[in-house]
Amino acid sequence: MNEIKPGLLQRAIYSREELSGDYFILWIWDEALGKLCRPGQFFEIRAHASLGDAEDSRCLPKLFKPISIYENAGGRIGFFIKKVGSGTASLAKLKAGDTLELIGPLGNGFPVVSGRRILLVSGGIGYPPLWYLQKELINHNLIFWLHGGAGQSDVFPCDEVWTMDGSFGKQGMVTEGIANLLNDKKIDLVFSCGPMPMLAQCAAICTNLRIEHYASLEAYMACGIGVCHGCAVPIGNPDKWDYLRVCKEGPVFKAEEVLWNLM
Ligand SMILES: Cc1cc2nc3c(=O)[nH]c(=O)nc-3n(C[C@H](O)[C@H](O)[C@H](O)COP(=O)(O)OP(=O)(O)OC[C@H]3O[C@@H](n4cnc5c(N)ncnc54)[C@H](O)[C@@H]3O)c2cc1C
Ligand code: FES
């Protein structure tokens, strides 16, 4: 039997859900673990090394992949994943009953607030953490959610959809919808998650209008637990800043403190 390293969990996948295109959801069940999770946190996950045959083994990399918590209801924890490369391809092969290896929950997560008028902005695979966040916030805040993707298979339920190819919702970048909405809906807080250029543009708009904004950053991660510093990003102000780790001090940062021009 394999020795389990400290912090390394193994959980059976109890169900798998197919979504559009290359998206799927893996569900595990762990009440105690669910109590530790907060919106915006993530797990490092990978398929258990025993899975796969000789052909598959090329698709079972040793590296864990950072995946946000998509849903957490009484210990029913979901990971909403897009297959993009070899790591997520190995996860895409998993089925109910297979074993998932996990480390987490990791990272700081979003602040959970009440009495605010909130705009959520997600792009692509930035959608899952905001789904969990809106479920936690919906009863105590007014929320409007903008989501953008490349095409129809990259969009999911929200209030307003943008696609780059115009195949669904409004055509263009999701950030084109932000400025008007901030005014019309008297938004006083923005939470965003998605590709770096989207976050930077969202930050520029919010800074200009002096609206509080928290962004969850995407970064390439090696260790995922604060050891390698491979995920560090410049945080502070132009006179005094430091490299902070997305996996440890993040992934959520006050957007006005991110030095977007140095990324
Ligand atoms: C905190 C955090 C939470 C995340 N949550 C989710 C989630 O809930 N669901 C999900 O599907 N994905 C999520 N991701 C992204 C996911 O971790 C990457 O897609 C995955 O690591 C890609 O690994 P791979 O081996 O499949 O592909 P790779 O072979 O590593 O990459 C395939 C392609 O994707 C690009 N790429 C890989 N990683 C990133 C990245 N982080 N940012 C930008 N481009 C990248 C590469 O340039 C390459 O073109 C998250 C990332 C972070 C940092
Ligand atoms: S990925 Fe190693 S320190 Fe963040």
Side-chain angles (χ1 to χ4, degrees):
M1 203 170 122
N2 286 343
E3 192 190 319
I4 300 178
K5 298 185 202 99
L8 178 63
L9 307 169
Q10 296 185 344
R11 294 292 177 272
I13 294 165
Y14 86 82
S15 82
R16 179 199 160 103
E17 208 174 310
E18 303 305 323
L19 303 173
S20 57
D22 290 325
Y23 296 86
F24 58 99
I25 305 176
L26 299 178
W27 295 97
I28 61 165
W29 192 286
D30 185 326
E31 260 184 71
L33 193 59
K35 287 188 181 132
L36 301 177
C37 297
R38 295 193 309 274
Q41 289 189 302
F42 66 96
F43 280 81
E44 286 278 31
I45 69 175
R46 69 179 180 189
H48 187 271
S50 67
L51 295 168
D53 50 27
E55 188 199 340
D56 271 343
S57 63
R58 283 170 296 131
C59 252
L60 288 171
K62 289 202 170 74
L63 274 184
F64 284 82
K65 295 291 160 184
I67 301 292
S68 305
I69 304 162
Y70 161 65
E71 195 161 304
N72 171 29
R76 183 176 178 264
I77 300 171
F79 300 105
F80 180 122
I81 303 168
K82 180 180 187 184
K83 185 171 82 170
V84 292
S86 60
T88 44
S90 73
L91 295 170
K93 294 185 175 195
L94 297 176
K95 52 190 186 316
D98 286 342
T99 303
L100 200 59
E101 293 196 325
L102 313 96
I103 303 171
L106 300 170
N108 56 355
F110 289 104
V112 175
V113 297
S114 58
R116 306 294 297 267
R117 303 178 71 90
I118 297 172
L119 179 67
L120 304 179
V121 185
S122 54
I125 206 58
Y127 184 89
L130 295 194
W131 175 263
Y132 180 14
L133 180 65
Q134 63 91 26
K135 285 207 152 187
E136 295 289 310
L137 298 179
I138 196 88
N139 290 334
H140 309 285
N141 300 274
L142 286 170
I143 297 180
F144 194 88
W145 188 353
L146 278 178
H147 176 73
Q152 193 166 3
S153 62
D154 301 297
V155 296
F156 305 98
C158 65
D159 296 304
E160 188 175 303
V161 166
W162 289 71
T163 52
M164 293 301 292
D165 64 7
S167 54
F168 199 87
K170 299 186 177 176
Q171 182 164 18
M173 297 203 5
V174 68
T175 45
E176 290 173 39
I178 296 178
N180 283 344
L181 273 172
L182 292 176
N183 277 327
D184 293 352
K185 304 214 172 281
K186 299 189 172 33
I187 299 294
D188 60 27
L189 178 59
V190 175
F191 292 118
S192 64
C193 186
M196 216 55 102
M198 183 207 95
L199 299 180
Q201 212 170 333
C202 192
I205 296 167
C206 291
T207 303
N208 201 24
L209 296 171
R210 295 174 183 270
I211 292 175
E212 194 179 1
H213 171 206
Y214 289 87
S216 179
L217 304 191
E218 286 184 0
Y220 293 99
M221 291 186 183
C223 73
I225 53 170
V227 176
C228 73
H229 287 251
C231 63
V233 290
I235 304 288
N237 64 59
D239 300 325
K240 193 172 183 300
W241 59 273
D242 203 353
Y243 279 107
L244 299 188
R245 296 159 295 182
V246 172
C247 68
K248 197 77 179 174
E249 288 83 33
V252 179
F253 293 97
K254 276 189 168 180
E256 62 184 359
E257 293 177 359
V258 179
L259 299 180
W260 300 99
N261 55 339
L262 297 184
M263 304 274 264

